[in-house]
């Protein structure tokens, strides 16, 4: 079944011909990190192993590095130290470009010995670039194919793994058609450490849309299954019985609850440029 996933916020990506959840490239990238490594850099031998494995270890003096990222993709460029030092000088006003044909490009940022200490945690939303705060804000969003006006939104936020826990920077997605809270769906909330975290959250958002497109909304086989307030009604019934009151303790529809206490409340604040409270704190 063919499907076109439309980006409603952020940069559209080129996807695999056979898997629209798999972003392959992007036309525009940020260059958040620029640096150099040379013999003597801690972990250098391990860092250049990927080059050796592919026959690209051709600069005994070391390498200049440019890290590229988009909302759903990342890459690393290895060039000469001279080229990267010149790029840094030319980029004093933020307008420089570099010639990737002078070096070699690899998809995704590397990790492992050496790299894990060299690459700092990076966020898509950065306060220095006008973001609400480092690691707090919208990343990307996609139009729901089955519910008019609904979106599946990927966002960075501050939250805790358990109620009252230690706040951490996280990334996840939220569907405004079903309003399911990904905290209650194992594996859909990620520690926000870098491009790979955000890429995985966006991939899961795409998979959610694909599932709804294939199985429709509400089907038992679909990932997009609104609860239609079932749990809220149960909680309200128990609360009324315990407290002997006629009113509801919570909003009695999923969209109303989500708008006041759930992910939609976070997304609303992010869209307004307001830093939301820590989720589940």
């Amino acid at each position: 079944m063919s499907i076109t996933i439309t980006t409603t916020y952020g940069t559209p990506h080129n996807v695999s011909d056979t898997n629209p959840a798999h972003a392959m490239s992007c036309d525009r990238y940020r260059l958040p990190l620029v640096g150099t490594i040379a013999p003597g850099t801690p972990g250098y031998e391990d860092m250049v192993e990927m080059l050796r494995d592919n026959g690209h270890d051709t600069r005994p003096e070391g390498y200049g590095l440019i890290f590229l990222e988009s909302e759903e993709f990342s890459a690393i460029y290895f060039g000469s130290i001279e080229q990267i030092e010149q790029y840094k000088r030319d980029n004093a006003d933020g307008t420089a470009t570099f010639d990737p044909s002078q070096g070699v490009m690899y998809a995704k940022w590397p990790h492992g010995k050496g790299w894990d200490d060299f690459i700092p945690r990076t966020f898509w939303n950065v306060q220095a670039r006008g973001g609400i705060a480092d690691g707090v804000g919208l990343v990307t969003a996609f139009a729901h194919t089955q519910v008019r006006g609904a979106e599946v939104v990927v966002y960075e936020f501050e939250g805790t793994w358990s109620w009252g826990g230690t706040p951490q920077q996280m990334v996840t997605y939220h569907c405004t058609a079903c309003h399911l809270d990904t905290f209650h769906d194992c594996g859909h909330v990620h520690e926000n450490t870098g491009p790979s975290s955000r890429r995985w959250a966006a991939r899961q958002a795409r998979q959610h849309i694909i599932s709804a497109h294939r199985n429709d909304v509400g089907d038992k086989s679909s990932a997009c299954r609104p609860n239609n307030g079932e749990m809220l009604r149960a909680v309200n019934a128990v609360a009324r019985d315990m407290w002997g009151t006629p009113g509801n303790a919570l909003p009695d529809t999923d969209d109303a609850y989500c708008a006041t206490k759930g992910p939609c409340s976070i997304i609303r604040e992010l869209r307004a440029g307001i830093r939301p409270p820590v989720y589940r704190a």
Side-chain angles (χ1 to χ4, degrees):
M1 179 182 293
S2 63
I3 176 176
T4 299
I5 297 178
T6 303
T7 302
T8 57
Y9 181 87
T11 307
H13 283 64
N14 306 307
V15 299
S16 165
D17 291 335
T18 58
N19 183 4
H22 182 56
M24 301 282 289
S25 64
C26 183
D27 294 336
R28 291 187 288 124
Y29 294 93
R30 289 181 182 175
L31 310 181
L33 299 172
V34 179
T36 59
I37 58 173
T41 299
Y44 179 80
E45 294 300 316
D46 296 289
M47 297 168 82
V48 299
E49 186 174 354
M50 61 188 295
L51 295 170
R52 292 186 182 133
D53 289 345
N54 291 282
H56 294 148
D57 185 15
T58 59
R59 302 182 188 277
E61 72 280 8
Y63 296 88
L65 309 172
I66 294 181
F67 294 82
L68 302 87
E69 70 165 334
S70 64
E71 295 92 331
E72 301 183 66
F73 198 75
S74 62
I76 180 173
Y77 171 79
F78 292 85
S80 70
I81 292 176
E82 180 183 5
Q83 180 195 14
I84 269 54
E85 293 296 344
Q86 183 64 51
Y87 167 80
K88 289 196 293 186
R89 289 192 292 270
D90 294 344
N91 198 46
D93 60 358
T95 62
T97 59
F98 73 98
D99 178 7
S101 68
Q102 295 185 37
V104 61
M105 191 89 73
Y106 285 83
K108 301 181 182 178
W109 291 7
H111 63 86
K113 190 174 180 181
W115 291 114
D116 291 343
D117 293 326
F118 184 85
I119 302 174
R121 175 181 288 206
T122 62
F123 304 107
W124 185 251
N125 291 279
V126 181
Q127 191 171 21
R129 294 199 194 105
I132 299 170
D134 289 354
V136 177
L138 302 180
V139 177
T140 191
F142 310 107
H144 202 289
T145 60
Q146 306 304 104
V147 179
R148 181 185 292 273
E151 293 178 295
V152 182
V153 184
V154 180
Y155 59 101
E156 297 176 311
F157 68 109
E158 298 164 306
T160 67
W161 292 112
S162 59
W163 291 101
T166 302
Q168 296 185 36
Q169 271 140 332
M170 302 177 177
V171 61
T172 190
Y173 70 91
H174 180 65
C175 174
T176 63
C178 65
H179 294 291
L180 296 181
D181 190 336
T182 49
F183 262 104
H184 304 295
D185 191 0
C186 183
H188 292 264
V189 177
H190 309 276
E191 184 182 355
N192 191 7
T193 58
S196 293
S197 306
R198 297 182 284 281
R199 173 183 171 85
W200 190 244
R203 182 185 180 94
Q204 290 180 314
R206 288 177 175 270
Q207 289 171 333
H208 187 92
I209 292 174
I210 293 169
S211 179
H213 187 77
R214 288 175 175 167
N215 303 299
D216 209 353
V217 174
D219 187 89
K220 65 179 182 180
S221 299
S222 177
C224 192
R225 300 188 304 275
N227 286 325
N228 297 320
E230 181 180 351
M231 182 58 69
L232 292 169
R233 289 193 297 274
V235 172
N236 281 330
V238 171
R240 288 195 302 269
D241 184 60
M242 288 178 59
W243 298 335
T245 57
N248 289 330
L250 299 171
D252 58 3
T253 63
D254 289 324
D255 57 345
Y257 178 85
C258 195
T260 56
K261 300 179 181 296
C264 275
S265 67
I266 295 178
I267 292 168
R268 182 184 63 249
E269 301 274 83
L270 296 179
R271 282 182 163 147
I274 301 169
R275 187 171 185 166
V278 176
Y279 193 56
R280 292 164 60 98

